[in-house]
Amino acid sequence: MSNTEKMLEIKDLSVIYKTDLETVYAVNGVTLSLEKGATLGLVGETGAGKTTLALTLMHLLLERSGKVTSGCITFEGENIVELPEADMRKIRGDKIAMIFQDPMTSLNPVLTVGEQIAEALYVHNDGGRSKEEIEARVDETLTLVGIPPARKHEYPHQFSGGMRQRVVIAIALSCEPDLLIADEPTGNLDSKASEEIISLLRLSNKKYNQTVIVITHDEKIALEADRVITIDDGKIIKDERTGK
């Protein structure tokens, strides 16, 4: 797939959350497309629909009573909205990976960070890598995110907030996904750690020619991408190139 080809196309996507008390129209007719290797900043206030859009891309709406009411999401030529969950599990984490805002909700406290990275690799291994190759990939990924491989035997609570976020990024990058979604990746970090995380995402984008979507309420962070989309009330209200 060349850089000019569309890796991701979203057409007229609408998503609702329905409870016994109310229906929330979270995403309303969103249409956008991204080329391979593109970087997108998706910006908007809390409740604008940013995270719902990401969860829809990941096929993770069911737990939250969400439902796609119209539209399609075509990823690498396939409409993933219609995919059975069993097929989507093969894509999630391998082809599309997501970094969540709070690393402690993503990390297992009773497994070492090395075990958690290796687990992601085993899930999507399909017999392609030996145990030794997986361990080497764990070390390689930790090095990429700036964590000494010797620390792979430590547990999440032994890391600072910024370092835990690096671990979550390492897990997401381990299978070299084509699309990386980062949901408020710097939300709980100080300015120095935030800059380091954004630098890591840029590095991943360049190293793997990876398409990266950064979801944020911070316009300064969004402007690090080569394209910025502003979303409000579930609709795109601004779409501009940054020239980066």
Side-chain angles (χ1 to χ4, degrees):
M1 180 179 291
S2 71
N3 276 22
T4 57
E5 289 182 275
K6 301 292 187 293
M7 165 189 271
L8 176 71
E9 290 189 272
I10 301 173
K11 292 184 179 179
D12 195 30
L13 184 71
S14 293
V15 180
I16 63 169
Y17 292 120
K18 192 165 187 176
T19 68
D20 292 337
L21 299 175
E22 63 177 342
T23 299
V24 176
Y25 296 88
V27 175
N28 298 295
V30 166
T31 295
L32 67 90
S33 61
L34 288 174
E35 298 82 19
K36 183 165 178 61
T39 57
L40 172 68
L42 187 61
V43 67
E45 298 298 324
T46 300
K50 309 182 303 297
T51 298
T52 295
L53 187 58
L55 292 173
T56 307
L57 286 169
M58 293 292 291
H59 245 243
L60 293 175
L61 279 175
L62 290 178
E63 295 178 312
R64 299 167 182 255
S65 303
K67 181 181 179 183
V68 175
T69 57
S70 70
C72 63
I73 300 171
T74 304
F75 175 72
E76 296 185 343
E78 186 170 27
N79 182 7
I80 59 176
V81 169
E82 298 176 349
L83 276 186
E85 176 59 19
D87 292 336
M88 191 63 199
R89 275 198 297 268
K90 297 174 184 177
I91 295 174
R92 190 189 302 124
D94 185 23
K95 295 286 188 178
I96 306 175
M98 187 167 176
I99 302 164
F100 294 92
Q101 180 175 356
D102 183 359
M104 285 307 284
T105 63
S106 305
L107 297 172
N108 189 328
V110 300
L111 294 179
T112 67
V113 299
E115 287 171 333
Q116 294 184 63
I117 298 170
E119 185 176 46
L121 290 163
Y122 278 116
V123 166
H124 297 289
N125 189 29
D126 295 327
R129 283 188 173 108
S130 67
K131 182 178 178 181
E132 292 74 20
E133 288 171 329
I134 284 177
E135 284 300 313
R137 179 60 184 162
V138 169
D139 291 352
E140 180 185 356
T141 309
L142 283 170
T143 301
L144 178 68
V145 301
I147 298 175
R151 297 197 67 183
K152 67 183 176 182
H153 304 295
E154 297 180 25
Y155 293 87
H157 73 270
Q158 295 176 275
F159 291 80
S160 67
M163 293 297 275
R164 283 195 292 265
Q165 191 65 291
R166 288 171 182 260
V167 172
V168 171
I169 292 173
I171 294 170
L173 295 182
S174 60
C175 295
E176 300 178 27
D178 296 323
L179 173 61
L180 180 65
I181 305 167
D183 187 8
E184 298 283 5
T186 64
N188 298 319
L189 305 178
D190 60 32
S191 58
K192 183 175 184 296
S194 295
E195 290 173 5
E196 291 172 350
I197 295 303
I198 294 302
S199 293
L200 268 177
L201 295 177
R202 280 199 297 260
L203 173 64
S204 179
N205 166 248
K206 300 301 181 188
K207 182 177 177 64
Y208 300 116
N209 192 29
Q210 193 173 62
T211 305
V212 178
I213 299 174
V214 177
I215 299 169
T216 180
H217 65 276
D218 188 333
E219 287 191 12
K220 182 180 177 183
I221 290 173
L223 287 169
E224 294 291 332
D226 52 36
R227 181 181 174 193
V228 177
I229 284 178
T230 303
I231 188 168
D232 184 47
D233 195 26
K235 301 174 184 175
I236 293 175
I237 60 171
K238 189 188 294 184
D239 184 349
E240 53 192 347
R241 302 281 176 173
T242 65
K244 295 199 173 184

